[in-house]
Amino acid sequence: LDERPEAREHIFRSKLPDICIPYHMTLAEYCMEKALQWPDKVAIVDGNTGKALTYGELAVLSQRVAAGLMKLGVEKGGVIAVLLPNGCEFVAVFLGAAIRGAIVTTANPFYTPVELENQIRVASATMVVTHSSYVEKLRALDLQIITIDKHVDSCLHISVLFEADEEECPIVDIDPDDLVCLPFSSGTTGLPKGVMLTHKSLLSSVSQQVDGQIPNLYMTDEDFVMCVLPMYHIYSLNSIMLCGLRVGATLVTMPKFNLQLMLEIIQKYKVTVLPAVPPIVLAMAKNPIVLNYDLSSLRMMLSGAAPLGKELEDAFRARLPGAVIGQGYGMTEAGPVLAMSLAFAKMPFPVKSGSCGTVVRNSEVKIVDNDTGLSLTYNQPGEICIRGPQIMKGYLNNPEATAHTLDKDGWLHTGDIAFIDEDEEMFIVDRVKEIIKVKGFQVPPAELEALLISHDGILDAAVVPRKDEMSGEVPVAFIVQAAGFNLSEEDVKAFIAKQVVFYKKLHSVHFIDKIPVTPSGKILRKELRNKL
Ligand code: 4UU
């Protein structure tokens, strides 16, 4: 009898064979590898304005950005913040920074000054590339600001990067384990942390999706990929931007979601691939205006970042039978893609509604029973753990949080509860982490709780998710009020609303006498959720 622990572990793998991942390449080389084969092909087109950039132009522009960054004193390993809506500037700056050997931290441009300051401080960013309309929010920080549109006092203009000399593009010795991207995520607990993604992580994740004889996510240079999900979130950054460039597709960008505009753009550009989040699937499946458009070009609808119900998936299929719908399952720390529907494979497998996909290639998944720590086999729900070349290196300057998430054997613990059926399809059934997902966006309860207890009238607070038809989940607060105060629900909501980005706003506030906690002081979130 083999008594080694690994002999007791049930490891799940992709149904597709492993592939050869070109670890030796840098992320920019890898994503632009084939760009020279089609220099005149449009890489990115702005769906609203029609402004387009070809692969050849993008290659030159990113070399100029790398040269410009070097001239401005950005060193290898330097961190720059990108605070931009979707568009060619985002892509060129990201690639240019990667060529320079710098690290890009991405954030939501709608973040409040407090949210931005926190991230920029933790990330030690020294420069930010943004739109002039966000400059005021950044003034208090010690940062070199570059604007992509008009000139602004005491800021630089993007021309310092875009008009630099590509001949001066630095040749940097980049190791596969060097960082390239630093998105923020609260992970399984606490405040947002910098997720260290290396050239190797992102390159592996892209490769696991689109490379090989039988790609799992089959996209080609003939595809027009809708880029409406924000590139500052890892889903869009990886599965749309980087995967799209790798295969030579055309990215059709929109700065923000608007259903009617999106439908017009799909029709006009004959968009073939629509990566989305559940609220967009809901609109596509249910909103009557969808029927007014010719969407026959759509062949693939990918949903991810939050649970998508079986009913909704079926409703979408009934309305748009020409498009294959399926899910991807990602987590920033996992590089990000853990599982992808095999309905999207070059040789598609039959799949079931409600599944979030099958584990990607060159990776191992195990499902762990949280009580016994044992790994489970088919059809038994437990915590999803993943191991592979794509997962993060750790949280920046936070070994404690890293140790809590990455174990000594290299497994990343997701905090998601799922089972895998006998067809290797994964079904997420619960979440054992605090994070609240509003339309796929992360809302860390710890952040809202810290803000709440900073109010003199609030003694203690807990924030939990409440199910919501439109957003999936919304945050609601339980509050213990201090003696002598008479706060109303509206007072508390307004106090939070002015400090956070729109999707983190509280939807209701409940006053209670005491926040229920475990003997060790952890909030009993389930108990509060059950009260709702
Ligand atoms: C149920 O949401 C993401 C990344 C999503 C993504 C990326 C590339 C989806 C498809 C793709 O191709 O990252 P985070 O870090 O913002 O949030 C991670 C959490 C997960 O741990 C899980 O709880 O978001 C939830 N989640 C999902 N839940 C992500 N995808 C799914 C899903 N079903 N399909």
Side-chain angles (χ1 to χ4, degrees):
L1 191 71
D2 188 349
E3 285 186 352
R4 289 171 308 140
E6 52 272 35
R8 279 188 269 123
E9 300 203 315
H10 186 97
I11 308 284
F12 295 91
R13 290 184 147 275
S14 177
K15 293 207 274 195
L16 298 172
D18 274 357
I19 50 169
C20 194
I21 299 175
Y23 298 125
H24 61 282
M25 297 180 89
T26 69
L27 184 63
E29 278 164 10
Y30 168 81
C31 287
M32 296 296 282
E33 189 181 24
K34 298 180 205 149
L36 292 180
Q37 290 173 20
W38 38 64
D40 298 327
K41 238 206 101 184
V42 173
I44 310 156
V45 56
D46 181 318
N48 287 340
T49 63
K51 192 178 124 191
L53 198 67
T54 65
Y55 271 92
E57 288 165 339
L58 177 61
V60 171
L61 207 53
S62 42
Q63 287 167 357
R64 289 183 182 170
V65 170
L69 288 173
M70 186 178 65
K71 273 223 154 118
L72 291 171
V74 175
E75 301 284 341
K76 182 185 169 191
V79 179
I80 71 173
V82 171
L83 207 64
L84 290 174
N86 289 350
C88 56
E89 292 87 359
F90 188 113
V91 184
V93 171
F94 183 88
L95 289 177
I99 295 171
R100 175 66 195 110
I103 304 160
V104 168
T105 188
T106 56
N108 187 333
F110 292 113
Y111 267 4
T112 62
V114 188
E115 290 167 315
L116 288 171
E117 189 196 331
N118 176 56
Q119 178 165 342
I120 283 167
R121 188 175 33 79
V122 175
S124 305
T126 56
M127 176 186 281
V128 58
V129 182
T130 191
H131 190 271
S132 61
S133 54
Y134 305 124
V135 166
E136 284 317 310
K137 296 199 285 197
L138 299 159
R139 286 280 194 205
L141 303 171
D142 179 24
L143 274 175
Q144 175 70 263
I145 303 175
I146 300 181
T147 55
I148 63 161
D149 50 327
K150 59 177 193 237
H151 287 270
V152 176
D153 267 358
S154 71
C155 299
L156 295 172
H157 183 253
I158 192 73
S159 52
V160 294
L161 302 179
F162 284 0
E163 288 167 22
D165 184 354
E166 65 270 23
E167 301 289 327
E168 292 173 19
C169 177
I171 295 169
V172 185
D173 185 16
I174 292 171
D175 187 89
D177 288 321
D178 287 336
L179 304 193
V180 67
C181 189
L182 192 68
F184 270 58
S185 165
S186 74
T188 56
T189 183
L191 296 173
K193 297 170 275 290
V195 177
M196 297 193 286
L197 296 179
T198 63
H199 284 260
K200 180 178 167 185
S201 349
L202 284 176
L203 180 155
S204 298
S205 181
V206 172
S207 186
Q208 288 164 340
Q209 293 168 78
V210 300
D211 282 351
Q213 300 270 308
I214 316 167
N216 190 336
L217 180 65
Y218 183 48
M219 297 198 293
T220 73
D221 58 316
E222 286 172 16
D223 277 309
F224 284 74
V225 184
M226 187 78 234
C227 187
V228 61
L229 301 181
M231 287 170 165
Y232 57 76
H233 186 256
I234 197 71
Y235 175 1
S236 183
L237 187 119
N238 178 301
S239 293
I240 305 177
M241 180 178 102
L242 299 177
C243 287
L245 296 175
R246 169 71 182 168
V247 303
T250 297
L251 306 178
V252 186
T253 63
M254 282 180 75
K256 67 174 207 275
F257 175 68
N258 170 303
L259 180 63
Q260 189 170 344
L261 220 53
M262 187 183 82
L263 295 167
E264 281 167 18
I265 290 172
I266 295 174
Q267 178 174 281
K268 179 168 173 202
Y269 288 94
K270 301 197 169 44
V271 166
T272 55
V273 179
L274 175 55
V277 287
I280 299 182
V281 181
L282 179 69
M284 293 292 284
K286 301 274 169 82
N287 194 310
I289 72 162
V290 173
L291 301 171
N292 302 338
Y293 294 85
D294 174 7
L295 306 177
S296 56
S297 59
L298 264 189
R299 67 172 190 87
M300 200 152 103
M301 173 92 189
L302 167 64
S303 177
L308 179 68
K310 181 178 176 317
E311 301 68 36
L312 194 50
E313 222 173 285
D314 292 337
F316 176 90
R317 220 172 257 127
R319 186 180 255 190
L320 286 159
V324 174
I325 184 171
Q327 294 187 49
Y329 160 43
M331 171 170 168
T332 310
E333 290 81 350
V337 182
L338 295 100
M340 182 62 72
S341 174
L342 284 171
F344 300 138
K346 187 169 182 187
M347 280 144 68
F349 287 81
V351 298
K352 297 175 209 73
S353 290
S355 161
C356 70
T358 297
V359 57
V360 291
R361 294 164 293 175
N362 298 59
S363 293
E364 301 167 283
V365 153
K366 66 175 179 177
I367 296 195
V368 175
D369 183 313
N370 266 335
D371 296 328
T372 64
L374 293 177
S375 96
L376 303 169
T377 170
Y378 292 99
N379 295 311
Q380 296 177 293
E383 184 179 15
I384 292 278
C385 298
I386 186 151
R387 188 159 71 176
Q390 74 281 23
I391 68 175
M392 68 164 176
K393 202 168 172 176
Y395 292 114
L396 182 74
N397 298 330
N398 199 334
E400 199 181 316
T402 302
H404 189 80
T405 306
L406 286 177
D407 69 25
K408 61 175 183 9
D409 298 318
W411 292 100
L412 175 90
H413 294 246
T414 61
D416 292 310
I417 302 293
F419 67 87
I420 293 178
D421 73 6
E422 46 291 285
D423 297 315
E424 310 296 333
E425 286 187 83
M426 191 185 286
F427 294 83
I428 297 180
V429 293
D430 199 5
R431 210 185 283 147
V432 282
K433 52 186 169 187
E434 297 163 6
I435 193 78
I436 301 169
K437 282 236 128 172
V438 179
K439 300 181 175 169
F441 287 116
Q442 290 197 6
V443 178
E447 199 179 312
L448 296 176
E449 286 156 6
L451 288 175
L452 285 165
I453 57 172
S454 75
H455 189 294
D456 288 339
I458 298 174
L459 276 185
D460 203 359
V463 173
V464 296
R466 186 180 67 209
K467 290 252 168 295
D468 181 87
E469 153 104 57
M470 181 55 206
S471 301
E473 291 174 347
V474 291
V476 303
F478 287 85
I479 301 290
V480 181
Q481 197 160 180
F485 280 84
N486 192 14
L487 293 172
S488 69
E489 172 166 11
E490 288 314 312
D491 294 336
V492 178
K493 280 188 181 173
F495 173 70
I496 293 297
K498 63 175 196 281
Q499 302 185 71
V500 298
V501 64
F502 59 91
Y503 58 82
K504 292 184 189 165
K505 288 180 184 167
L506 293 172
H507 281 241
S508 64
V509 178
H510 308 266
F511 294 88
I512 53 173
D513 296 334
K514 195 174 178 304
I515 302 292
V517 292
T518 63
S520 65
K522 273 183 80 179
I523 298 169
L524 284 164
R525 295 179 188 277
K526 218 170 203 147
E527 193 168 306
L528 291 171
R529 259 156 58 186
N530 292 341
K531 279 189 203 281
L532 293 169

